[in-house]
Amino acid sequence: MERFIYFDHAAATPMDARVFEVMEPYFMDAYANPTSIYKFAQKSRSAIERAREKIAEFLQTEPREIIFTSGGTESNNLFIFGAAEVLQKYGRHIITSQIEHDSVIEPLKRLETKGFEVTYLDVGEDGLVKAQDVKKALRDDTILVTIMFANNEIGTIQPIAEIGEVIAEFRKTKKVTSTEHHLYPYFHTDACQAAPYLDISVKPLGIDAMTLNGGKIYGPKGVGALFIKTGTPIMPQLFGGGQEHRMRAGTENVAGIVGFGRALELVQSARVEESQRLLVLRDRLINGLLQAIPRSRVNGDLHKRLPNNVNVSFYGLEGEAILLRLDMIGVAASAGSACAASSLEPSHVMRALGLSDQWTHSATRFTMGHGNTHEEVDFVLKNLPGIIKELREVSPFA
């Protein structure tokens, strides 16, 4: 069998067989529309609510605060557009970072065309948002703050709880009149990459909304969730039926929701053990590459990063050439976000680190997961130095 090593789990994870097992009955057997009132349909309804309760348990919140969506992009769009629409009468200032996912950046750019003002916080070479920078950026007309929990490209883990404390303290200084119904700014985090490895209990984080995605946790693609804390104002963006507490119209993806609930249960239950296992592989790969390949660097903080993320640059090369050579030997990696893979330009995340083009163009991301082994890491360490050497010999920039 041809060798194949999958090091692109940040883009998509394979479905866990235990997830598919619980989904299967809802494709062929329990297929009724969950909004119907007869007993057969209530099997679907009950399955959705059990999944909602399971997710709420891991987030340490209430089931009514979980809204099912089609994935991370929809959840991010729903919160940003939905909250901005309600809160614009109180202010039009939003705070985010320069390294957010496109499904946050693009909605914010859209809002800027409608008169909103967005502050994009710098991160520096370590790829970390500073809580003090959030504090400095807060204004009386700030209605939203959205900072991702863990970055999808460079794997840096942001100080969400610390930022939450800053926002909570700022709220105490605000004067709320009797005509105001909302204590803003509200705090949202995209936790799609964080869910398999970090504690996502919402109360310690001080957040009002959180985005999750089934395709990043060994569950089905095309399903996600948005936690919305009770009292957080939001306007639905899809209108029709009364599904999802009238927050997201459309017949529910029953099989997907069931699988999502099971997938989150599995990754959260095993996150400590799996994180420790992957941390060994991550550091083995990082240290091996830096030692074997001259003019190489790790992008993002070495310690405050996800246990499965290795993002490295090799001075003077193009990432696409590296990926093609890796693919030829059966290794799947990426140059950044899968959502922007068609672009030949360095991602906005890499540019935000303040590095020169000679570094940003060669950024290569290895993200490990279930099933990856020491032998696979050693295979990359054995072959990648030679690939880099050969590419540099023919590169006019290296």
Side-chain angles (χ1 to χ4, degrees), residues 251-380:
T251 302
E252 294 96 333
N253 175 3
V254 181
I257 290 170
V258 169
F260 181 93
R262 179 60 169 152
L264 188 65
E265 176 186 25
L266 290 169
V267 296
Q268 278 288 294
S269 298
R271 67 179 179 82
V272 174
E273 180 181 356
E274 179 67 354
S275 293
Q276 292 173 345
R277 186 186 74 83
L278 290 173
L279 189 62
V280 175
L281 298 183
R282 184 199 76 180
D283 290 348
R284 184 185 184 92
L285 183 55
I286 288 176
N287 294 332
L289 291 176
L290 295 183
Q291 291 173 12
I293 303 175
R295 291 177 293 166
S296 60
R297 58 164 287 137
V298 176
N299 298 312
D301 191 270
L302 269 172
H303 306 290
K304 297 177 181 177
R305 68 187 304 123
L306 292 173
N308 73 324
N309 181 287
V310 177
N311 190 304
V312 287
S313 288
F314 309 100
Y315 189 87
L317 297 181
E318 291 290 333
E320 288 72 24
I322 299 170
L323 295 180
L324 288 172
R325 290 294 300 272
L326 285 170
D327 189 41
M328 291 172 63
I329 61 172
V331 178
S334 70
S337 173
C339 299
S342 60
S343 174
L344 295 178
E345 291 299 313
S347 74
H348 66 279
V349 174
M350 292 306 304
R351 291 201 178 280
L353 301 184
L355 305 174
S356 67
D357 286 348
Q358 285 89 346
W359 288 114
T360 59
H361 278 274
S362 64
T364 304
R365 182 186 70 180
F366 302 89
T367 45
M368 294 165 280
H370 292 356
N372 287 137
T373 65
H374 286 273
E375 290 73 21
E376 291 176 333
V377 169
D378 289 343
F379 181 81
V380 173

Side-chain angles (χ1 to χ4, degrees), residues 193-241:
Q193 296 292 335
Y197 310 112
L198 304 178
D199 184 352
I200 55 174
S201 304
V202 298
K203 290 181 181 178
L205 296 174
I207 59 173
D208 302 294
M210 175 188 283
T211 290
L212 298 169
N213 185 352
K216 311 300 184 184
I217 57 174
Y218 305 92
K221 300 175 183 66
V223 64
L226 176 64
F227 155 73
I228 308 175
K229 185 178 179 180
T230 300
T232 303
I234 189 168
M235 180 66 69
Q237 299 300 295
L238 289 176
F239 296 90

Side-chain angles (χ1 to χ4, degrees), residues 32 48 100 109 128 181 205 242 247 250 265 274 283 319 329 333 354 363:
I48 290 174
E100 299 300 305
K109 287 182 179 179
L128 295 172
H181 303 291
L205 296 174
M247 291 303 301
E265 176 186 25
E274 179 67 354
D283 290 348
I329 61 172

Side-chain angles (χ1 to χ4, degrees), residues 95-109:
I95 298 172
T96 191
S97 80
Q98 292 187 7
I99 61 169
E100 299 300 305
H101 191 272
D102 283 339
S103 60
V104 168
I105 295 291
E106 292 304 318
L108 292 177
K109 287 182 179 179

Side-chain angles (χ1 to χ4, degrees), residues 13-297:
T13 51
M15 187 181 292
D16 191 307
R18 295 168 292 179
V19 172
F20 182 72
E21 182 180 2
V22 300
M23 293 175 62
E24 194 170 13
Y26 299 94
F27 289 112
M28 299 294 292
D29 299 326
Y31 51 80
N33 190 315
T35 59
S36 300
I37 63 173
Y38 42 81
K39 290 181 180 179
F40 181 50
Q42 291 310 301
K43 293 181 180 179
S44 298
R45 170 54 52 195
S46 296
I48 290 174
E49 297 311 319
R50 285 195 300 271
R52 200 188 309 274
E53 291 169 1
K54 188 178 298 181
I55 294 166
E57 179 182 348
F58 282 103
L59 270 60
Q60 294 186 6
T61 186
E62 297 297 324
R64 66 177 180 275
E65 297 177 315
I66 306 299
I67 304 300
F68 290 115
T69 68
S70 64
T73 293
E74 185 189 342
S75 292
N76 286 338
N77 276 251
L78 171 57
F79 179 77
I80 292 170
F81 285 129
E85 185 174 346
V86 177
L87 293 169
Q88 60 183 323
K89 57 186 175 182
Y90 302 109
R92 289 189 162 218
H93 180 238
I94 300 171
I95 298 172
T96 191
S97 80
Q98 292 187 7
I99 61 169
E100 299 300 305
H101 191 272
D102 283 339
S103 60
V104 168
I105 295 291
E106 292 304 318
L108 292 177
K109 287 182 179 179
R110 177 69 174 169
L111 287 176
E112 286 182 294
T113 68
K114 296 178 177 294
F116 287 81
E117 181 183 352
V118 181
T119 296
Y120 298 90
L121 299 176
D122 295 331
V123 293
E125 281 194 27
D126 62 4
L128 295 172
V129 177
K130 312 301 186 292
Q132 282 300 112
D133 289 345
V134 175
K135 183 177 182 178
K136 293 176 183 177
L138 286 168
R139 309 182 332 203
D140 286 341
D141 63 338
T142 305
I143 55 173
L144 299 176
V145 178
T146 176
I147 304 291
M148 69 193 326
F149 203 161
N151 187 265
N152 54 303
E153 293 190 36
I154 56 176
T156 48
I157 300 171
Q158 306 304 333
I160 298 301
E162 189 178 348
I163 294 171
E165 291 176 0
V166 166
I167 295 171
E169 287 300 314
F170 178 77
R171 285 171 175 166
K172 294 177 182 178
T173 69
K174 293 177 62 66
K175 295 180 179 179
V176 181
T177 68
S178 59
T179 59
E180 290 178 323
H181 303 291
H182 311 297
L183 188 58
Y184 52 91
Y186 290 92
F187 185 22
H188 164 259
T189 188
D190 178 342
C192 292
Q193 296 292 335
Y197 310 112
L198 304 178
D199 184 352
I200 55 174
S201 304
V202 298
K203 290 181 181 178
L205 296 174
I207 59 173
D208 302 294
M210 175 188 283
T211 290
L212 298 169
N213 185 352
K216 311 300 184 184
I217 57 174
Y218 305 92
K221 300 175 183 66
V223 64
L226 176 64
F227 155 73
I228 308 175
K229 185 178 179 180
T230 300
T232 303
I234 189 168
M235 180 66 69
Q237 299 300 295
L238 289 176
F239 296 90
Q243 295 89 348
E244 295 305 298
H245 310 302
R246 306 196 70 84
M247 291 303 301
R248 198 266 188 185
T251 302
E252 294 96 333
N253 175 3
V254 181
I257 290 170
V258 169
F260 181 93
R262 179 60 169 152
L264 188 65
E265 176 186 25
L266 290 169
V267 296
Q268 278 288 294
S269 298
R271 67 179 179 82
V272 174
E273 180 181 356
E274 179 67 354
S275 293
Q276 292 173 345
R277 186 186 74 83
L278 290 173
L279 189 62
V280 175
L281 298 183
R282 184 199 76 180
D283 290 348
R284 184 185 184 92
L285 183 55
I286 288 176
N287 294 332
L289 291 176
L290 295 183
Q291 291 173 12
I293 303 175
R295 291 177 293 166
S296 60
R297 58 164 287 137

